[in-house]
């Protein structure tokens, strides 16, 4: 009978008291050359202890929880003639201590894991390792999976030789689970694929302006956090327009012209006084509604650098002429990029008016933490039935988007009816 081979803990770089995390063989097992016998761990890294010879295990001298150092006897083997070269996949995760320093050989994730004071290995997870499991993932990979809380049994196919599970398979599994969780919770959006458009034709890259980047992030956040509903209606502004034209006719050509937007601002504020929930914000925990006693209106202004929203303050205390001058000043400042942060803070509700450009309807996004936004598109003459005949009336399309957590559908409709009533007969703004 051939002499027994003693396999001992090799030189692992002057480290004593190495923890035995896992012992993977028992007496009677046949082991191949470089098959992992045990998993050891120092405070810096975890490492597989490979068999330096092939054979049948006669006796195992260590168990999980033991502390070992260089020279500690691990197993005795009865040598066999069968020598199997390890696969590339096994080499990827195995560490031959004599050949490479431990710290260089381990993957960064494993190093991070190992840096944690001690690894808690649940007894049941150790007990769950059987010969079949061991054949599909090396101990280092199983340890890595345990550290990430991954049940390795759930990874059905590995990308290593003969379906062996590799660290990359564990990472992909974690990524997949995380992505699914994010999509299910609605707390993020799946990443868009990166596409090389130059494969289809000539392209040119342009950096987004800072405003566009910031606005984009904020819009994304609002889109994901707020359940929004947009309600569409039309206001009859025939009389209002006649009054506006008359007012402008009185002005000299150097005066600032009165646009319909100013009346919309006044009508909106009057409706907010009537429906205070439109002048509120939801607390961050979603438990309380904070009512505001001031009435500041944000106006979305289109600038070469992107959209900005200057705020007109205390609109309820100002007349149309004063507001007209303030709107002209703030939108000019916006277009010149001269607005200060204070000019854009403290808004209660926002108006996004595209009327100067066109459109029949759109769905603006609430400028949270405000709870509603009023969209305006181009007014146009329409035949309107008054019960007896069709009359030509100037109809202004309005789009009210609101945060449905705060505003009910019926409240939204009543609010819009009030805005329409004020615009339909601006004398009511005096009441
Ligand atoms: N229907 C018909 N005509 C309208 C109108 C409407 N709803 N709104 C404006 N107009 C007319 C104005 O009367 C004016 O006509 P004149 O040139 O004959 O006087 C012309 O369109 C241009 O108006 P204006 O845009 O200069 O002025 P405003 O007060 O209506 O709007 C401002 C000011 C700053 C809101 C606007 O210039 C602007 O930037 N709008 C774009 C906002 C935006 O990009 N919103 C999208 C946000 S994405 O959610």
């Amino acid at each position: 009978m051939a002499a027994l081979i003693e396999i001992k803990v090799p030189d692992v770089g002057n480290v004593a008291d190495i923890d035995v995390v896992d012992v993977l063989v028992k007496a009677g097992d046949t082991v191949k050359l470089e098959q992992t016998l045990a998993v050891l761990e120092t405070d810096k890294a975890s490492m597989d202890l490979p068999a330096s010879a092939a054979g049948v295990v006669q006796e195992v001298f260590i168990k999980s929880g033991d502390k070992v150092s260089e020279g500690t006897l691990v197993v005795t083997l009865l040598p066999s003639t069968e020598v199997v070269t390890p696969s590339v996949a096994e080499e990827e995760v195995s560490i031959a201590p004599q050949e490479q320093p431990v710290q260089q050989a381990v993957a960064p994730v494993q190093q991070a894991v190992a840096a944690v004071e001690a690894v808690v290995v649940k007894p049941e997870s150790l007990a769950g390792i059987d010969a079949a499991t061991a054949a599909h993932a090396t101990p280092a990979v199983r340890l890595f999976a345990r550290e990430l809380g991954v049940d390795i049994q759930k990874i059905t196919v590995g990308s290593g030789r003969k379906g062996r599970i590799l660290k990359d398979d564990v990472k992909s599994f974690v990524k997949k689970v995380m992505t699914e969780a994010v999509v299910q919770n609605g707390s993020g959006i799946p990443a868009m694929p990166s596409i090389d458009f130059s494969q289809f034709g000539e392209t040119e890259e342009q950096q987004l302006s800072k405003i566009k980047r910031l606005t984009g992030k904020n819009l994304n956040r609002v889109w994901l956090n707020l359940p929004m509903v947009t309600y569409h209606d039309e206001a009859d502004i025939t009389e209002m327009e006649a009054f506006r034209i008359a007012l402008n006719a009185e002005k000299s050509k150097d005066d600032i012209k009165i646009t319909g937007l100013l009346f919309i601002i006044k009508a909106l504020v009057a409706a907010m006084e009537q429906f205070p929930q439109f002048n509120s914000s939801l607390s961050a925990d979603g438990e309380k509604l904070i009512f505001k006693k001031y009435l500041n209106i944000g106006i979305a202004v289109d600038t070469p650098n992107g959209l900005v929203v200057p705020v007109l303050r205390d609109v309820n205390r100002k007349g149309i002429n004063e507001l007209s001058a303030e709107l002209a000043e703030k939108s000019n400042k916006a277009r010149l990029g001269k607005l200060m942060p204070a000019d854009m803070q403290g808004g209660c509700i926002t108006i996004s008016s595209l009327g100067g450009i066109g459109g029949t309807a759109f769905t603006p996004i609430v400028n949270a933490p405000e709870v509603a936004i009023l969209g305006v598109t181009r007014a146009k003459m329409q035949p309107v039935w008054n019960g007896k005949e069709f009359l030509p009336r100037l109809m202004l399309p309005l789009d009210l988007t609101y945060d449905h957590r705060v505003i009910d559908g019926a409240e939204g409709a009543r609010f819009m009816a009030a805005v329409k009533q004020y615009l339909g007969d601006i004398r009511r703004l005096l009441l």
Side-chain angles (χ1 to χ4, degrees):
M1 189 169 143
L4 289 183
I5 299 171
E6 291 188 335
I7 298 187
K8 297 179 178 173
V9 175
D11 175 13
V12 287
N14 248 347
V15 187
D17 288 343
I18 307 163
D19 291 314
V20 178
V21 174
D22 222 341
V23 179
L24 300 159
V25 289
K26 56 184 185 311
D29 285 355
T30 302
V31 296
K32 296 168 186 167
L33 177 66
E34 295 200 12
Q35 179 175 331
T36 304
L37 302 173
V39 180
L40 309 182
E41 195 171 82
T42 69
D43 61 348
K44 298 221 168 40
S46 93
M47 68 195 100
D48 293 355
L49 184 72
S52 50
V56 177
V57 177
Q58 299 302 297
E59 197 171 346
V60 179
F61 295 89
I62 59 169
K63 59 183 187 317
S64 299
D66 281 359
K67 289 200 183 294
V68 295
S69 25
E70 184 189 342
T72 304
L73 182 59
V74 177
V75 294
T76 47
L77 285 185
L78 188 62
S80 76
T81 45
E82 189 201 4
V83 174
V84 181
T85 330
S87 68
V88 176
E90 283 165 336
E91 279 171 352
E92 230 173 75
V93 290
S94 298
I95 299 161
Q98 290 97 332
E99 288 161 23
Q100 338 174 3
V102 168
Q103 287 181 20
Q104 279 173 17
V106 287
V109 172
Q110 205 177 355
Q111 280 181 351
V113 167
V116 179
E117 282 271 304
V119 178
V120 182
V121 181
K122 291 187 192 144
E124 61 272 23
S125 61
L126 286 177
I129 297 163
D130 57 22
T133 312
H136 290 101
T138 62
V141 172
R142 282 186 288 109
L143 176 68
F144 179 62
R146 276 203 303 277
E147 292 299 334
L148 298 178
V150 172
D151 176 357
I152 203 149
Q153 306 291 347
K154 294 210 165 112
I155 307 175
T156 45
V157 188
S159 55
R161 213 166 68 104
K162 292 188 183 166
R164 184 169 283 239
I165 296 160
L166 307 179
K167 268 188 189 165
D168 280 346
D169 299 320
V170 178
K171 285 184 204 165
S172 305
F173 179 82
V174 171
K175 247 188 230 167
K176 185 170 158 272
V177 170
M178 294 298 287
T179 309
E180 281 169 5
V182 160
V183 172
Q184 276 163 21
N185 292 338
S187 56
I189 45 173
M192 295 295 290
S194 156
I195 295 170
D196 174 15
F197 296 101
S198 66
Q199 62 185 306
F200 309 118
E202 199 189 337
T203 60
E204 183 195 318
E205 278 188 11
Q206 205 177 70
Q207 189 68 31
L208 281 182
S209 70
K210 197 172 172 203
I211 291 178
K212 274 224 149 114
R213 277 182 280 137
L214 289 175
T215 311
K217 273 193 191 148
N218 192 40
L219 289 173
N220 239 342
R221 191 172 51 182
V222 174
W223 185 266
L224 291 166
N225 279 294
L226 270 64
M228 289 183 278
V229 174
T230 306
Y231 178 81
H232 308 280
D233 209 338
E234 284 176 331
D236 184 337
I237 58 163
T238 316
E239 267 84 48
M240 186 199 97
E241 181 65 1
F243 181 55
R244 187 183 78 86
I245 291 170
L247 279 180
N248 281 337
E250 291 167 13
K251 293 189 180 288
S252 73
K253 71 173 174 34
D254 295 330
D255 285 339
I256 301 163
K257 274 205 289 182
I258 308 280
T259 63
L261 185 58
L262 298 158
F263 293 100
I264 298 169
I265 293 170
K266 287 302 271 184
L268 188 63
V269 163
M272 286 165 82
E273 285 178 315
Q274 216 176 313
F275 297 90
Q277 66 272 39
F278 281 83
N279 192 13
S280 72
S281 283
L282 202 56
S283 60
D285 61 7
E287 300 279 320
K288 282 180 292 221
L289 212 48
I290 301 149
F291 288 92
K292 296 154 198 173
K293 305 292 177 189
Y294 50 88
L295 282 147
N296 300 340
I297 305 288
I299 305 291
V301 177
D302 176 36
T303 80
N305 284 327
L307 189 70
V308 289
V309 186
V311 172
L312 306 179
R313 291 180 195 282
D314 301 316
V315 172
N316 51 327
R317 296 197 213 141
K318 292 174 181 166
I320 294 276
N321 283 328
E322 190 179 354
L323 285 172
S324 177
E326 200 175 326
L327 176 63
E329 185 218 322
K330 293 232 162 119
S331 52
N332 277 341
K333 263 171 108 179
R335 289 187 177 117
L336 296 170
K338 289 195 172 152
L339 283 177
M340 302 307 284
D343 292 323
M344 293 180 274
Q345 286 167 356
C348 302
I349 200 166
T350 296
I351 298 178
S352 175
S353 172
L354 295 172
I357 306 166
T360 53
F362 73 118
T363 53
I365 296 176
V366 171
N367 190 10
E370 296 168 18
V371 295
I373 182 166
L374 185 72
V376 182
T377 51
R378 195 165 193 81
K380 73 169 184 238
M381 273 298 179
Q382 287 180 33
V384 176
W385 184 251
N386 70 354
K388 286 190 211 130
E389 56 187 338
F390 281 106
L391 294 175
R393 308 294 295 176
L394 186 63
M395 304 303 290
L396 177 72
L398 299 170
D399 315 287
L400 179 74
T401 302
Y402 50 85
D403 182 343
H404 210 347
R405 296 172 303 172
V406 178
I407 314 285
D408 291 337
E411 286 171 341
R414 283 189 206 109
F415 181 79
M416 185 70 111
V419 173
K420 276 173 60 178
Q421 202 176 31
Y422 288 118
L423 289 174
D425 186 351
I426 54 171
R427 294 171 306 177
R428 289 179 182 275
L429 292 170
L430 298 170
L431 299 175

